[in-house]
Amino acid sequence: MTSTSVKPNLLPPGLVSNLQDVLSKRAGGEEDKTAESTDPPSTSEAADTVEDPNDSSKPIVLVTNGDGIESPGLTYLVEALVHQGLYNVHVCAPQSDKSLSGHSVTLRETVSVSSAEIKGATAYEVSGTPVDCVSLALSGALFSWSKPLLVISGINRGSSCGHHMLYSGVVAGAREALISGIPSLSISLNWRKDESQENDFKDAVAVCLPLINAAIRDIEKGIFPKSCFLDIEIPSSPLSNKGFKLTKQSMWRSTPSWQAISSRYPAGHFMNSQQSLGIQLAQLGRDASAAGAARRVTTQKKNVEIESTGAAGKSDFERVKKYFRLEFVDKEKEDTDEDLDFRALESGFVSVTPLSLSPHLESETQTAASNWISSALEEQ
């Protein structure tokens, strides 16, 4: 990997100097050694080193994500953590894609939980959101332990920079952990359609694993920042990154675009005659049930005329229905501040942004997180 110096900014001068030292050391070849030593193993290699996933002597790490439990980002990350043999790895992740669920929870509905097979880890898939997964895992109702040492949410497909953090399920998973007082990281890969490949997730794990190990080490020492979590954004070509860079959350977002469509079925969707007939029969059944219910209600009242045909209220054929589909369209990024998350990511850096529960990161929190990040990077 190549390295460049960090442009001076409003961050503490000591931090800027430390980051510059880190990047210059990487230019000397240390980074290649790190990447090589942390390259996640194949599934077969990991199987050879699997130990008891319930070893209480090891620190507990909880992994969740937004893309679903079968996504490659989570699979490669858990394989790497298990392969190291240093942690008691637990997984509690959505059973399907919940990447844009934000900080939503499932209320007044039953959430189903099923055990999942992941080598060397204790794993469950949940029918809810990433926040549901973290909240349930930390509640004591699912796992026997009281709390993990660290919660890792990721690795997500697609960046979560700027205002996308508000929509992001993977960021919300880490935020929920912080709400419960547990240190956490959210990790995303800047996936590019028609360019990125599944193996890029394996490379992304190799890039972020040293920072994960440093976080766990310093949590045990009590020197990891307590009032924020870290959002890690990895560039599209992970192994070609220019190094880690401490960044600030930007105000950037894609433009939401609601497209009107002619039916509830997307373009190219084929409905055969049996499906069409089934829908028509189902509709007739609903109308008949509604009409029958109306008759039963009205027969209990005196002097009320009972309609011989038609459903109660408007039928579905009388209602006006419209269908829309939401898409996000990238707009030109006008902000040129190189220390913002999306600018650093586009420039090839691994963006590391401290995030708190407050809309504005307190200066003390910023300083504490900055000092820890620079110290951790110096040792990689």
Side-chain angles (χ1 to χ4, degrees):
M1 275 184 260
T2 59
S3 301
T4 62
S5 61
V6 176
K7 181 180 179 180
N9 47 45
L10 299 179
L11 299 174
L15 171 62
V16 176
S17 176
N18 286 337
L19 284 174
Q20 289 174 332
D21 289 342
V22 172
L23 295 174
S24 64
K25 290 178 181 178
R26 289 177 179 275
E30 294 182 8
E31 186 177 32
D32 292 337
K33 181 179 178 180
T34 301
E36 181 179 353
S37 62
T38 57
D39 191 26
S42 65
T43 304
S44 59
E45 290 174 333
D48 295 336
T49 60
V50 169
E51 299 180 22
D52 182 6
N54 297 311
D55 186 350
S56 59
S57 65
K58 298 176 182 178
I60 297 170
V61 176
L62 174 67
V63 181
T64 191
N65 74 342
D67 292 343
I69 195 166
E70 295 183 350
S71 65
L74 182 141
T75 299
Y76 283 125
L77 176 60
V78 172
E79 278 187 1
L81 292 172
V82 168
H83 178 69
Q84 290 186 119
L86 302 174
Y87 313 122
N88 188 346
V89 183
H90 287 67
V91 178
C92 188
Q95 64 185 197
S96 59
D97 188 351
K98 302 289 183 181
S99 56
L100 288 175
S101 59
H103 207 100
S104 61
V105 295
T106 304
L107 189 63
R108 301 187 184 92
E109 293 182 17
T110 300
V111 172
S112 65
V113 180
S114 303
S115 59
E117 291 294 327
I118 299 181
K119 280 284 189 180
T122 301
Y124 290 96
E125 58 182 44
V126 180
S127 64
T129 67
V131 175
D132 287 329
C133 294
V134 175
S135 179
L136 176 61
L138 300 182
S139 70
L142 182 62
F143 296 111
S144 59
W145 38 260
S146 57
K147 64 179 184 179
L149 190 71
L150 175 69
V151 172
I152 306 173
S153 188
I155 297 174
N156 185 67
R157 182 190 298 263
S159 73
S160 301
C161 293
H163 281 179
H164 285 263
M165 291 183 186
L166 302 177
Y167 300 102
S168 172
V170 71
V171 173
R175 188 188 299 116
E176 181 67 17
L178 180 62
I179 291 174
S180 299
I182 309 298
S184 58
L185 309 172
S186 61
I187 309 173
S188 298
L189 170 66
N190 189 25
W191 182 271
R192 294 189 182 279
K193 186 179 180 181
D194 300 327
E195 295 181 20
S196 298
Q197 301 177 358
E198 184 173 309
N199 205 56
D200 292 334
F201 285 105
K202 186 175 182 180
D203 296 338
V205 172
V207 169
C208 67
L209 196 57
L211 197 59
I212 292 173
N213 291 331
I216 294 173
R217 177 199 65 207
D218 289 347
I219 291 169
E220 292 182 309
K221 292 181 179 179
I223 58 176
F224 186 82
K226 294 181 174 61
S227 53
C228 68
F229 69 96
L230 303 181
D231 178 65
I232 303 169
E233 303 286 331
I234 302 173
S236 301
S237 299
L239 297 184
S240 299
N241 77 81
K242 297 178 180 178
F244 293 84
K245 186 172 185 179
L246 180 68
T247 51
K248 300 174 290 186
Q249 182 183 0
S250 66
M251 303 295 286
W252 177 79
R253 67 173 293 196
S254 298
T255 303
S257 175
W258 285 95
Q259 301 293 327
I261 56 177
S262 58
S263 72
R264 73 184 69 187
Y265 298 98
H269 179 89
F270 174 73
M271 184 191 301
N272 61 35
S273 58
Q274 290 183 337
Q275 289 175 312
S276 178
L277 177 59
I279 290 174
Q280 293 178 45
L281 291 174
Q283 182 61 59
L284 289 172
R286 285 194 294 269
D287 292 345
S289 297
R295 291 189 182 94
R296 286 192 294 273
V297 171
T298 52
T299 53
Q300 298 173 7
K301 300 179 181 179
K302 295 182 179 180
N303 302 322
V304 176
E305 182 179 354
I306 302 175
E307 294 181 358
S308 60
T309 59
K314 290 184 177 181
S315 72
D316 281 351
F317 294 109
E318 293 174 318
R319 293 193 181 109
V320 175
K321 286 189 177 180
K322 297 184 178 181
Y323 301 96
F324 297 87
R325 185 181 299 113
L326 174 63
E327 295 180 355
F328 282 97
V329 180
D330 286 344
K331 63 180 180 180
E332 185 177 352
K333 305 176 181 68
E334 299 177 353
D335 203 316
T336 58
D337 186 346
E338 294 297 326
D339 297 314
L340 295 177
D341 47 17
F342 74 87
R343 282 295 178 198
L345 192 62
E346 288 184 339
S347 298
F349 289 96
V350 179
S351 165
V352 183
T353 306
L355 299 173
S356 75
L357 301 178
S358 168
H360 302 287
L361 197 65
E362 298 295 334
S363 59
E364 295 82 2
T365 300
Q366 175 78 29
T367 301
S370 300
N371 291 339
W372 180 86
I373 293 170
S374 59
S375 174
L377 295 182
E378 279 185 321
E379 300 180 10
Q380 304 311 317

